[in-house]
PDB file of all heavy atoms in Angstrom:
ATOM      1  N   GLU A  25     -10.099   7.998  -4.082  1.00  0.00           N
ATOM      2  CA  GLU A  25      -8.648   8.065  -4.303  1.00  0.00           C
ATOM      3  C   GLU A  25      -8.015   6.756  -3.844  1.00  0.00           C
ATOM      4  O   GLU A  25      -8.294   6.298  -2.724  1.00  0.00           O
ATOM      5  CB  GLU A  25      -8.083   9.227  -3.491  1.00  0.00           C
ATOM      6  CG  GLU A  25      -6.570   9.278  -3.398  1.00  0.00           C
ATOM      7  CD  GLU A  25      -6.071  10.221  -2.317  1.00  0.00           C
ATOM      8  OE1 GLU A  25      -6.839  10.527  -1.382  1.00  0.00           O
ATOM      9  OE2 GLU A  25      -4.910  10.642  -2.383  1.00  0.00           O
ATOM     10  N   GLY A  26      -7.193   6.167  -4.680  1.00  0.00           N
ATOM     11  CA  GLY A  26      -6.493   4.953  -4.284  1.00  0.00           C
ATOM     12  C   GLY A  26      -5.455   5.248  -3.216  1.00  0.00           C
ATOM     13  O   GLY A  26      -4.664   6.179  -3.366  1.00  0.00           O
ATOM     14  N   VAL A  27      -5.457   4.464  -2.155  1.00  0.00           N
ATOM     15  CA  VAL A  27      -4.545   4.663  -1.030  1.00  0.00           C
ATOM     16  C   VAL A  27      -3.435   3.623  -1.042  1.00  0.00           C
ATOM     17  O   VAL A  27      -2.262   3.939  -0.921  1.00  0.00           O
ATOM     18  CB  VAL A  27      -5.328   4.598   0.291  1.00  0.00           C
ATOM     19  CG1 VAL A  27      -4.377   4.643   1.483  1.00  0.00           C
ATOM     20  CG2 VAL A  27      -6.347   5.732   0.369  1.00  0.00           C
ATOM     21  N   SER A  28      -3.833   2.362  -1.202  1.00  0.00           N
ATOM     22  CA  SER A  28      -2.860   1.274  -1.166  1.00  0.00           C
ATOM     23  C   SER A  28      -3.489   0.023  -1.743  1.00  0.00           C
ATOM     24  O   SER A  28      -4.716  -0.113  -1.768  1.00  0.00           O
ATOM     25  CB  SER A  28      -2.418   1.012   0.284  1.00  0.00           C
ATOM     26  OG  SER A  28      -1.453  -0.027   0.348  1.00  0.00           O
ATOM     27  N   CYS A  29      -2.645  -0.891  -2.223  1.00  0.00           N
ATOM     28  CA  CYS A  29      -3.165  -2.173  -2.681  1.00  0.00           C
ATOM     29  C   CYS A  29      -2.166  -3.270  -2.361  1.00  0.00           C
ATOM     30  O   CYS A  29      -0.975  -3.003  -2.129  1.00  0.00           O
ATOM     31  CB  CYS A  29      -3.507  -2.159  -4.169  1.00  0.00           C
ATOM     32  SG  CYS A  29      -2.107  -1.948  -5.285  1.00  0.00           S
ATOM     33  N   ILE A  30      -2.680  -4.504  -2.354  1.00  0.00           N
ATOM     34  CA  ILE A  30      -1.851  -5.657  -2.038  1.00  0.00           C
ATOM     35  C   ILE A  30      -2.270  -6.823  -2.913  1.00  0.00           C
ATOM     36  O   ILE A  30      -3.465  -7.055  -3.131  1.00  0.00           O
ATOM     37  CB  ILE A  30      -1.951  -6.002  -0.535  1.00  0.00           C
ATOM     38  CG1 ILE A  30      -0.967  -7.112  -0.156  1.00  0.00           C
ATOM     39  CG2 ILE A  30      -3.377  -6.378  -0.148  1.00  0.00           C
ATOM     40  CD1 ILE A  30      -0.816  -7.291   1.357  1.00  0.00           C
ATOM     41  N   GLY A  31      -1.306  -7.548  -3.444  1.00  0.00           N
ATOM     42  CA  GLY A  31      -1.604  -8.683  -4.294  1.00  0.00           C
ATOM     43  C   GLY A  31      -2.205  -9.842  -3.524  1.00  0.00           C
ATOM     44  O   GLY A  31      -2.200  -9.868  -2.295  1.00  0.00           O
ATOM     45  N   SER A  32      -2.721 -10.808  -4.257  1.00  0.00           N
ATOM     46  CA  SER A  32      -3.428 -11.927  -3.645  1.00  0.00           C
ATOM     47  C   SER A  32      -2.525 -12.756  -2.743  1.00  0.00           C
ATOM     48  O   SER A  32      -3.000 -13.363  -1.776  1.00  0.00           O
ATOM     49  CB  SER A  32      -4.044 -12.833  -4.720  1.00  0.00           C
ATOM     50  OG  SER A  32      -3.040 -13.294  -5.615  1.00  0.00           O
ATOM     51  N   ARG A  33      -1.243 -12.773  -3.020  1.00  0.00           N
ATOM     52  CA  ARG A  33      -0.305 -13.520  -2.193  1.00  0.00           C
ATOM     53  C   ARG A  33       0.383 -12.628  -1.170  1.00  0.00           C
ATOM     54  O   ARG A  33       1.227 -13.101  -0.413  1.00  0.00           O
ATOM     55  CB  ARG A  33       0.734 -14.221  -3.069  1.00  0.00           C
ATOM     56  CG  ARG A  33       0.122 -15.219  -4.056  1.00  0.00           C
ATOM     57  CD  ARG A  33       1.158 -15.973  -4.833  1.00  0.00           C
ATOM     58  NE  ARG A  33       1.970 -15.106  -5.685  1.00  0.00           N
ATOM     59  CZ  ARG A  33       2.513 -15.486  -6.826  1.00  0.00           C
ATOM     60  NH1 ARG A  33       2.310 -16.707  -7.275  1.00  0.00           N
ATOM     61  NH2 ARG A  33       3.259 -14.662  -7.529  1.00  0.00           N
ATOM     62  N   GLY A  34       0.053 -11.354  -1.184  1.00  0.00           N
ATOM     63  CA  GLY A  34       0.641 -10.431  -0.211  1.00  0.00           C
ATOM     64  C   GLY A  34       2.016  -9.945  -0.567  1.00  0.00           C
ATOM     65  O   GLY A  34       2.700  -9.331   0.262  1.00  0.00           O
ATOM     66  N   GLU A  35       2.439 -10.196  -1.818  1.00  0.00           N
ATOM     67  CA  GLU A  35       3.801  -9.823  -2.196  1.00  0.00           C
ATOM     68  C   GLU A  35       3.861  -8.479  -2.903  1.00  0.00           C
ATOM     69  O   GLU A  35       4.760  -7.674  -2.638  1.00  0.00           O
ATOM     70  CB  GLU A  35       4.370 -10.923  -3.096  1.00  0.00           C
ATOM     71  CG  GLU A  35       4.482 -12.275  -2.396  1.00  0.00           C
ATOM     72  CD  GLU A  35       4.794 -13.402  -3.350  1.00  0.00           C
ATOM     73  OE1 GLU A  35       4.836 -13.181  -4.572  1.00  0.00           O
ATOM     74  OE2 GLU A  35       4.992 -14.536  -2.872  1.00  0.00           O
ATOM     75  N   GLY A  36       2.936  -8.218  -3.806  1.00  0.00           N
ATOM     76  CA  GLY A  36       2.925  -6.953  -4.522  1.00  0.00           C
ATOM     77  C   GLY A  36       2.165  -5.912  -3.742  1.00  0.00           C
ATOM     78  O   GLY A  36       0.980  -6.092  -3.440  1.00  0.00           O
ATOM     79  N   ILE A  37       2.836  -4.835  -3.372  1.00  0.00           N
ATOM     80  CA  ILE A  37       2.218  -3.784  -2.553  1.00  0.00           C
ATOM     81  C   ILE A  37       2.536  -2.426  -3.157  1.00  0.00           C
ATOM     82  O   ILE A  37       3.670  -2.181  -3.585  1.00  0.00           O
ATOM     83  CB  ILE A  37       2.742  -3.848  -1.102  1.00  0.00           C
ATOM     84  CG1 ILE A  37       2.181  -5.101  -0.392  1.00  0.00           C
ATOM     85  CG2 ILE A  37       2.364  -2.590  -0.333  1.00  0.00           C
ATOM     86  CD1 ILE A  37       2.718  -5.300   1.013  1.00  0.00           C
ATOM     87  N   ASN A  38       1.527  -1.562  -3.178  1.00  0.00           N
ATOM     88  CA  ASN A  38       1.711  -0.183  -3.632  1.00  0.00           C
ATOM     89  C   ASN A  38       1.045   0.775  -2.662  1.00  0.00           C
ATOM     90  O   ASN A  38       0.043   0.428  -2.026  1.00  0.00           O
ATOM     91  CB  ASN A  38       1.089   0.014  -5.028  1.00  0.00           C
ATOM     92  CG  ASN A  38       1.966  -0.552  -6.131  1.00  0.00           C
ATOM     93  OD1 ASN A  38       3.177  -0.360  -6.129  1.00  0.00           O
ATOM     94  ND2 ASN A  38       1.363  -1.267  -7.060  1.00  0.00           N
ATOM     95  N   TYR A  39       1.593   1.993  -2.611  1.00  0.00           N
ATOM     96  CA  TYR A  39       1.022   3.052  -1.786  1.00  0.00           C
ATOM     97  C   TYR A  39       0.934   4.338  -2.593  1.00  0.00           C
ATOM     98  O   TYR A  39       1.799   4.629  -3.416  1.00  0.00           O
ATOM     99  CB  TYR A  39       1.895   3.322  -0.553  1.00  0.00           C
ATOM    100  CG  TYR A  39       2.004   2.168   0.407  1.00  0.00           C
ATOM    101  CD1 TYR A  39       3.117   1.340   0.412  1.00  0.00           C
ATOM    102  CD2 TYR A  39       0.988   1.910   1.330  1.00  0.00           C
ATOM    103  CE1 TYR A  39       3.229   0.278   1.295  1.00  0.00           C
ATOM    104  CE2 TYR A  39       1.089   0.849   2.219  1.00  0.00           C
ATOM    105  CZ  TYR A  39       2.209   0.043   2.190  1.00  0.00           C
ATOM    106  OH  TYR A  39       2.308  -1.010   3.066  1.00  0.00           O
ATOM    107  N   ALA A  40      -0.095   5.119  -2.307  1.00  0.00           N
ATOM    108  CA  ALA A  40      -0.130   6.474  -2.819  1.00  0.00           C
ATOM    109  C   ALA A  40       0.985   7.267  -2.148  1.00  0.00           C
ATOM    110  O   ALA A  40       1.334   7.020  -0.992  1.00  0.00           O
ATOM    111  CB  ALA A  40      -1.487   7.112  -2.523  1.00  0.00           C
ATOM    112  N   ASP A  41       1.533   8.229  -2.878  1.00  0.00           N
ATOM    113  CA  ASP A  41       2.632   9.026  -2.321  1.00  0.00           C
ATOM    114  C   ASP A  41       2.222   9.704  -1.016  1.00  0.00           C
ATOM    115  O   ASP A  41       3.044   9.883  -0.119  1.00  0.00           O
ATOM    116  CB  ASP A  41       3.081  10.079  -3.336  1.00  0.00           C
ATOM    117  CG  ASP A  41       3.835   9.476  -4.510  1.00  0.00           C
ATOM    118  OD1 ASP A  41       4.287   8.311  -4.396  1.00  0.00           O
ATOM    119  OD2 ASP A  41       3.968  10.162  -5.539  1.00  0.00           O
ATOM    120  N   SER A  42       0.970  10.077  -0.916  1.00  0.00           N
ATOM    121  CA  SER A  42       0.490  10.830   0.246  1.00  0.00           C
ATOM    122  C   SER A  42       0.499  10.012   1.541  1.00  0.00           C
ATOM    123  O   SER A  42       0.421  10.576   2.626  1.00  0.00           O
ATOM    124  CB  SER A  42      -0.924  11.362  -0.012  1.00  0.00           C
ATOM    125  OG  SER A  42      -1.808  10.291  -0.295  1.00  0.00           O
ATOM    126  N   VAL A  43       0.595   8.683   1.437  1.00  0.00           N
ATOM    127  CA  VAL A  43       0.543   7.853   2.644  1.00  0.00           C
ATOM    128  C   VAL A  43       1.804   7.025   2.855  1.00  0.00           C
ATOM    129  O   VAL A  43       1.926   6.318   3.859  1.00  0.00           O
ATOM    130  CB  VAL A  43      -0.687   6.922   2.635  1.00  0.00           C
ATOM    131  CG1 VAL A  43      -1.965   7.731   2.423  1.00  0.00           C
ATOM    132  CG2 VAL A  43      -0.554   5.827   1.590  1.00  0.00           C
ATOM    133  N   LYS A  44       2.748   7.090   1.912  1.00  0.00           N
ATOM    134  CA  LYS A  44       3.978   6.304   2.043  1.00  0.00           C
ATOM    135  C   LYS A  44       4.699   6.644   3.343  1.00  0.00           C
ATOM    136  O   LYS A  44       4.840   7.808   3.702  1.00  0.00           O
ATOM    137  CB  LYS A  44       4.900   6.566   0.855  1.00  0.00           C
ATOM    138  CG  LYS A  44       4.518   5.814  -0.401  1.00  0.00           C
ATOM    139  CD  LYS A  44       5.479   6.099  -1.539  1.00  0.00           C
ATOM    140  CE  LYS A  44       5.061   5.362  -2.805  1.00  0.00           C
ATOM    141  NZ  LYS A  44       5.926   5.706  -3.951  1.00  0.00           N
ATOM    142  N   GLY A  45       5.125   5.613   4.034  1.00  0.00           N
ATOM    143  CA  GLY A  45       5.828   5.804   5.291  1.00  0.00           C
ATOM    144  C   GLY A  45       4.906   5.932   6.491  1.00  0.00           C
ATOM    145  O   GLY A  45       5.365   5.893   7.632  1.00  0.00           O
ATOM    146  N   ARG A  46       3.611   6.096   6.252  1.00  0.00           N
ATOM    147  CA  ARG A  46       2.650   6.225   7.363  1.00  0.00           C
ATOM    148  C   ARG A  46       1.659   5.074   7.408  1.00  0.00           C
ATOM    149  O   ARG A  46       1.207   4.682   8.478  1.00  0.00           O
ATOM    150  CB  ARG A  46       1.882   7.547   7.229  1.00  0.00           C
ATOM    151  CG  ARG A  46       2.749   8.777   7.254  1.00  0.00           C
ATOM    152  CD  ARG A  46       1.910  10.054   7.323  1.00  0.00           C
ATOM    153  NE  ARG A  46       1.044  10.222   6.161  1.00  0.00           N
ATOM    154  CZ  ARG A  46      -0.285  10.291   6.228  1.00  0.00           C
ATOM    155  NH1 ARG A  46      -0.889  10.221   7.397  1.00  0.00           N
ATOM    156  NH2 ARG A  46      -1.002  10.458   5.129  1.00  0.00           N
ATOM    157  N   PHE A  47       1.289   4.556   6.258  1.00  0.00           N
ATOM    158  CA  PHE A  47       0.307   3.469   6.180  1.00  0.00           C
ATOM    159  C   PHE A  47       1.008   2.172   5.802  1.00  0.00           C
ATOM    160  O   PHE A  47       1.972   2.173   5.024  1.00  0.00           O
ATOM    161  CB  PHE A  47      -0.752   3.777   5.124  1.00  0.00           C
ATOM    162  CG  PHE A  47      -1.703   4.901   5.467  1.00  0.00           C
ATOM    163  CD1 PHE A  47      -1.483   5.747   6.530  1.00  0.00           C
ATOM    164  CD2 PHE A  47      -2.849   5.086   4.709  1.00  0.00           C
ATOM    165  CE1 PHE A  47      -2.352   6.768   6.844  1.00  0.00           C
ATOM    166  CE2 PHE A  47      -3.744   6.100   4.996  1.00  0.00           C
ATOM    167  CZ  PHE A  47      -3.485   6.954   6.062  1.00  0.00           C
ATOM    168  N   THR A  48       0.489   1.065   6.324  1.00  0.00           N
ATOM    169  CA  THR A  48       1.004  -0.255   5.987  1.00  0.00           C
ATOM    170  C   THR A  48      -0.167  -1.177   5.689  1.00  0.00           C
ATOM    171  O   THR A  48      -1.063  -1.330   6.520  1.00  0.00           O
ATOM    172  CB  THR A  48       1.826  -0.842   7.145  1.00  0.00           C
ATOM    173  OG1 THR A  48       2.900   0.048   7.470  1.00  0.00           O
ATOM    174  CG2 THR A  48       2.395  -2.201   6.751  1.00  0.00           C
ATOM    175  N   ILE A  49      -0.135  -1.786   4.514  1.00  0.00           N
ATOM    176  CA  ILE A  49      -1.171  -2.735   4.141  1.00  0.00           C
ATOM    177  C   ILE A  49      -0.639  -4.146   4.350  1.00  0.00           C
ATOM    178  O   ILE A  49       0.560  -4.408   4.158  1.00  0.00           O
ATOM    179  CB  ILE A  49      -1.621  -2.518   2.676  1.00  0.00           C
ATOM    180  CG1 ILE A  49      -2.902  -3.282   2.371  1.00  0.00           C
ATOM    181  CG2 ILE A  49      -0.513  -2.882   1.704  1.00  0.00           C
ATOM    182  CD1 ILE A  49      -3.534  -2.901   1.027  1.00  0.00           C
ATOM    183  N   SER A  50      -1.512  -5.045   4.754  1.00  0.00           N
ATOM    184  CA  SER A  50      -1.127  -6.439   4.950  1.00  0.00           C
ATOM    185  C   SER A  50      -2.364  -7.307   4.784  1.00  0.00           C
ATOM    186  O   SER A  50      -3.489  -6.794   4.729  1.00  0.00           O
ATOM    187  CB  SER A  50      -0.508  -6.644   6.335  1.00  0.00           C
ATOM    188  OG  SER A  50      -1.446  -6.356   7.358  1.00  0.00           O
TER     189      SER A  50
END
C-alpha cells in the first residue's frame, strides 16, 4: 500500500488518507 511519496527536489509530496496528519516525509 502506498503511504507517501516525495519528488526529487522535495517539493511534490503526497500522503495516503490513512496517514495524513500523522506521517511526514522529507
Side-chain angles (χ1 to χ4, degrees):
E25 169 194 21
V27 174
S28 181
C29 65
I30 186 168
S32 57
R33 300 184 297 210
E35 297 169 355
I37 289 176
N38 282 316
Y39 296 100
D41 288 343
S42 58
V43 306
K44 281 181 181 176
R46 300 188 298 119
F47 290 12
T48 302
I49 193 169
S50 63

